[in-house]
Each structure stands twice: as C-alpha cells, then as structure tokens.
Amino acid sequence: MKVSQFILDSSAALLTLSSALLSLTTLAEAAPVSSLEGSRPNIVLIMPDDISFGSIGAYGNPKAESPNIDKLYDKAVRFDNFHVSPTCSPTRAAMLTGRQECYSGVTHTIFLRDQMNPELRTMPEMLQDSGYATGIFGKWHLGDSAELRPDKRGFDEVYIHGAGGIGQNYTHSADFPNNDYNNPVLYHNGKAIETKGYCTDLFFDQAIDWMGEQAKAKKPFFAFVALNVAHRPHIPPILPDGSKGSMMGNLDDNVGKMMAYLDESGLSENTLLIYMTDNGAASGSMKLKGRKTFATEGGIRVPCLMYWKGKLEGGISNNNLAGHIDYYATFSELAGSDDAVPGGKIWDGRSLLPLFENPTGADWAQRYWIAHRTRWDDASKAQYSHASIQDTKFKLFIPKAGEFVLYDLSNDRSETKDLASQYPEKVEQLKEIYDTWWTDVQPYMINDHLENVPEEHKPYHELYRDAFGEERYQEAMRLMTWEGGKPYGDRKAKKK
C-alpha cells in the first residue's frame, strides 16, 4: 500500500518541515531498520481510559504508581507528539476507521451518537482479511445493539462490558444492571457471563490466554486491550483479605504481566506492543492546557509508547505529529494488506512505518490535525464551537465563533501565548482548511439526524434478562441507586 504525502497544492500549500522542525529529542541513537512492510507482527494495543501523562512516573509525576510502565518508557520509542480525540467514543471510532471521528458518525458518547456507522470498513476487518486473529478485551463503546457490537465489526474474540463504562445506566447507553468493577457481568462472544475477579485483571488474563492460543496456532494476532479504568467511579480491586487495593497500581501490575508474558513466551521479537491512553485526563494533563473534552493539548495529546524488540526500541523520543488515525494505514502496511488509506484527505491518517523504520531521521511531511469537542446540541451551529486545527508547528484554537487563537506548539506546548495578530496569514490558512473539512464531513454525521429514536435503548439489559431471568433482573434494578449504577452510589444517602 502506498501512502500519499498529503501535500496541499494551491494557495493553501505549505512547505514541508525544515530540519529544525524535524528535530527529535533522543536519549539514545537508533539505527534505521529494513523495510517492515508485510512483516506481519502480532499487535498488542493497551489503552486505559481517562488518564494521561500524569499517570506515568517517567513523565515527571513522583506519585504515579507505574514502575512497569516506566520500564516500558525506558526501552520503547516514545511518540511524544501523539494525538487522539477529546473523548472516548470518538477516539475509538477514529482509531478503527483511520479518519476523524465525525466521518464515522460518532459525535458523542451517549444519545446513540456513539454508534459507529455499520457500513464502514474497520481496521480489525482489514486485519481479519489479511489472516490475523482479532480480539477485544474491555471497552467497546461504539454501539450496544447486536449489529453494532465488535463481533460484527471485525473481532473474533470479544470479552467486554457494555456502554461507556461498567455500571453505567443512561437512557441510551447502559451496561449490565447493577454491575461492578469487582466480579462484573461481561459480554463474551455473544453471551452475558458471570466472572470472578477485578475487571482489569480479567481483561488482561483473557487477552493473554487468547494470545497464547493464537501463538500455538501460529496465527498473527491483534489484541486490543481497551480498559475502563481509570474512568470514574474509581472503584479499586477488593483483595483476598477484603481490603481495597490500588486501581492504578493494579493497572501497572497488569502491564508488567503483559510485558513479562511476551518476553517469556518468546513473542517480543515479533510483537508490536503499544501503550497509550484514549484522551486527556479528566483532571488535566500536567502542564498541558485543558483536559478531557478539550480540543487543546491537554485533551488530545497523550502518552504513546511503542516497543518491538529489535525493531522499535532504545528509549527514544520522537516528536513528529502522529496519532490514532494513523493505525489503520500502519497496520495495513505491516500486515501486507492492499487496503487503500481511508479517506486520503490531508487531515486523514497516514502510515507510521517511516517513523518505525527510522525513528530519528525519517522525512515526515506537513500534515494537519483536526479536533472538535463535538457533544453539540445542534451540529448546524457548532462549526466554531471549541475546535482546533494544527500543522507541524502552529495550532489554531477556536473556542467559539469569532474567536481565533494561534499557538506556536514548537515553542509553546502549554499554549500560553496567542500569536494570531502576528501571523494573520497562518490563521487564515488553517481556518480555510478547517472550513473545508467541516463542509466535507457534514454528510457523514448520520447519528445527528436519527429518526424514531426510542425513549430508552438498553440492549445489555435484555441480554441480562435472557441470561439470568426476570426476577434477578428486577432485583438488580432495585439495587441500583441512580442512573450511573451501583458503583457510583448515592453520595447524599451515604452521608446520612
């Protein structure tokens, strides 16, 4: 598969980056490797929820419980200019389709606007067609109806919770009733099942067992370990003695378990291991501006560590603008697929293989990254409602209609100094590209024009009824204390 360089012609064209803008901060030198196209590695993608740089001690938080992730940081290639979407469903949709999330119809996390367009081809479907086994373990959040679940969207093995989080019970987005992080009811290959253990342990253990089966069968695999932690309500594991453990410490332990498994099984030399997060932290992302739901760097720039023994390693920091929409094209080339790059527009994904093959010296042409908070009430009025577009140096932030703020991210990663008055031509150029994207994406936002929307949509409640009976279902509903489910609890009642 050949990936275009996405260079604009006409008056909007920009020069490719100068050598100064391509500079990389490196802690070690890495020699270029030979072409990886068609090398068909296993791929393990670990993606926890609602955390960011502050969850990793190696990024400067001495209180972080992350010794194993710190070890991965020390030996991986660190993509330190890696971007995602501002919230979870959009990030998942963009990652699986290779395009900005609005092209998949996903413009919210609830109200049925988290449903990924079933007509789109997904990255796991591409991998399946290339001979890969595919599995998802944890959080899907791209549609709860049977035809929208991951077993219909390219995953062979499905071991997940429902909705956007364990225990959620919103009108149009509901997990199994009265569910908990400890001993949750989960969806496994079409059935509701009871489990014993903490959710993060369960997802990693199932993934590792499944990976072992694929390795014995000598079949390449893609394992998507998409965790619900550390999304609220921050329920810790209950230890065998009845005491409470640490949610973040447990996450780190499991990352360490995955790393050890890959080493001990001999899979590390043929496995691309990725650790990233799905959006900025709800509490903020250290020195970056904003947080989850923001189109500023605190909402969309996240840690991304990639390790492939002998090929992608060395404790190197790469500062090229990259992100989740690049996985489709990247994995396609690695798998030897002939899939075209989805979309092919200047703001769509591109292959990361040049950065894999030469992390410290690859040419990386100009590109454009578009983010929008979405979550609007009316898309027709939301064009300039908290959005941003950036190239490899500048970022145009649009907090509201009529307000355009320009940052030089190469010198001001924290977005503190507005340069719009100094570079009006750059403001106009980025605005023109953004406006073109907004016009182009309108027909694709199908969930903003749904008709006959039911008053309540809870497919996982029906699965629970079918599996465990009406009496148990009614008891579970009785025990739930509010629309978020038992784990959230009734805080006012507890204080009495």
Side-chain angles (χ1 to χ4, degrees), residues 122-310:
T122 67
M123 174 256 287
E125 287 174 330
M126 174 274 295
L127 289 173
Q128 277 184 329
D129 290 345
S130 300
Y132 273 66
T134 56
I136 180 172
F137 310 88
K139 178 173 177 174
W140 170 244
H141 204 184
L142 292 172
D144 292 339
S145 298
E147 70 276 11
L148 299 174
R149 293 177 201 143
D151 33 11
K152 301 295 185 181
R153 306 310 309 273
F155 286 99
D156 303 311
E157 174 75 6
V158 176
Y159 189 79
I160 62 172
H161 61 78
I166 292 178
Q168 285 187 2
N169 185 37
Y170 300 112
T171 303
H172 295 103
S173 184
D175 184 30
F176 295 109
N178 202 42
N179 221 1
D180 200 332
Y181 286 26
N182 292 281
N183 308 326
V185 172
L186 296 175
Y187 176 85
H188 186 208
N189 295 338
K191 297 180 180 180
I193 64 167
E194 296 179 285
T195 68
K196 290 292 184 182
Y198 188 63
C199 55
T200 307
D201 295 328
L202 293 167
F203 296 141
F204 271 93
D205 289 346
Q206 186 75 11
I208 288 171
D209 288 347
W210 176 83
M211 289 159 55
E213 294 172 3
Q214 309 317 309
K216 287 181 181 179
K218 300 187 182 303
K219 188 168 186 176
F221 56 80
F222 168 56
F224 183 25
V225 187
L227 307 166
N228 59 298
V229 300
H231 194 288
R232 69 185 183 108
H234 304 158
I235 296 176
I238 303 301
L239 302 179
D241 64 1
S243 63
K244 294 180 180 180
S246 165
M247 180 179 65
M248 296 304 293
N250 176 270
L251 167 61
D252 185 77
D253 288 345
N254 276 287
V255 173
K257 181 168 59 179
M258 176 65 78
M259 293 164 61
Y261 168 74
L262 292 173
D263 285 341
E264 293 165 4
S265 64
L267 290 173
S268 290
E269 284 147 6
N270 194 37
T271 299
L272 170 61
L273 174 64
I274 303 173
Y275 177 90
M276 59 176 284
T277 65
D278 69 340
N279 44 245
S283 58
S285 300
M286 298 184 74
K287 295 182 180 180
L288 299 180
K289 182 176 182 178
R291 54 178 173 78
K292 173 186 176 180
T293 76
F294 281 56
T296 49
E297 295 296 274
I300 61 176
R301 187 194 291 243
V302 299
C304 181
L305 310 175
M306 298 195 191
Y307 176 70
W308 183 352
K309 187 175 182 179

Side-chain angles (χ1 to χ4, degrees), residues 376-397:
W376 46 63
D377 294 324
D378 183 349
S380 67
K381 300 177 182 178
Q383 181 172 355
Y384 300 124
S385 178
H386 201 96
S388 66
I389 175 171
Q390 64 191 93
D391 60 21
T392 46
K393 178 176 173 65
F394 288 100
K395 179 174 186 175
L396 181 66
F397 174 52

Side-chain angles (χ1 to χ4, degrees), residues 260-473:
Y261 168 74
L262 292 173
D263 285 341
E264 293 165 4
S265 64
L267 290 173
S268 290
E269 284 147 6
N270 194 37
T271 299
L272 170 61
L273 174 64
I274 303 173
Y275 177 90
M276 59 176 284
T277 65
D278 69 340
N279 44 245
S283 58
S285 300
M286 298 184 74
K287 295 182 180 180
L288 299 180
K289 182 176 182 178
R291 54 178 173 78
K292 173 186 176 180
T293 76
F294 281 56
T296 49
E297 295 296 274
I300 61 176
R301 187 194 291 243
V302 299
C304 181
L305 310 175
M306 298 195 191
Y307 176 70
W308 183 352
K309 187 175 182 179
K311 296 182 175 63
L312 203 61
E313 58 183 2
I316 300 164
S317 291
N318 184 297
N319 202 42
N320 287 297
L321 177 57
H324 61 342
I325 60 174
D326 298 330
Y327 286 149
Y328 194 122
T330 304
F331 297 170
S332 180
E333 285 198 339
L334 288 172
S337 170
D338 59 1
D339 264 30
V341 178
K345 301 291 181 66
I346 58 172
W347 47 73
D348 290 329
R350 60 164 68 168
S351 174
L352 297 172
L353 252 60
L355 304 183
F356 284 12
E357 295 167 355
N358 191 1
T360 60
D363 290 332
W364 196 243
Q366 180 64 283
R367 75 180 307 185
Y368 302 89
W369 192 275
I370 293 171
H372 198 300
R373 174 180 278 171
T374 61
R375 298 191 171 213
W376 46 63
D377 294 324
D378 183 349
S380 67
K381 300 177 182 178
Q383 181 172 355
Y384 300 124
S385 178
H386 201 96
S388 66
I389 175 171
Q390 64 191 93
D391 60 21
T392 46
K393 178 176 173 65
F394 288 100
K395 179 174 186 175
L396 181 66
F397 174 52
I398 313 169
K400 60 183 179 180
E403 188 172 338
F404 300 93
V405 184
L406 187 71
Y407 301 114
D408 177 0
L409 292 180
S410 65
N411 294 303
D412 182 20
R413 182 175 289 190
S414 298
E415 299 171 290
T416 61
K417 188 175 181 180
D418 180 9
L419 302 177
S421 61
Q422 294 179 234
Y423 299 98
E425 71 288 348
K426 174 57 67 172
V427 172
E428 186 57 35
Q429 186 221 23
L430 291 176
K431 179 179 178 298
E432 180 181 341
I433 298 170
Y434 174 82
D435 288 346
T436 301
W437 165 79
W438 181 260
T439 299
D440 188 65
V441 81
Q442 294 305 302
Y444 298 88
M445 297 195 298
I446 58 174
N447 292 330
D448 287 277
H449 310 287
L450 293 175
E451 297 180 355
N452 302 316
V453 176
E455 291 185 7
E456 184 175 271
H457 183 73
K458 299 181 178 181
Y460 281 85
H461 280 221
E462 297 311 309
L463 283 168
Y464 191 95
R465 270 193 172 106
D466 292 342
F468 307 116
E470 183 66 21
E471 182 177 350
R472 179 167 163 182
Y473 172 75

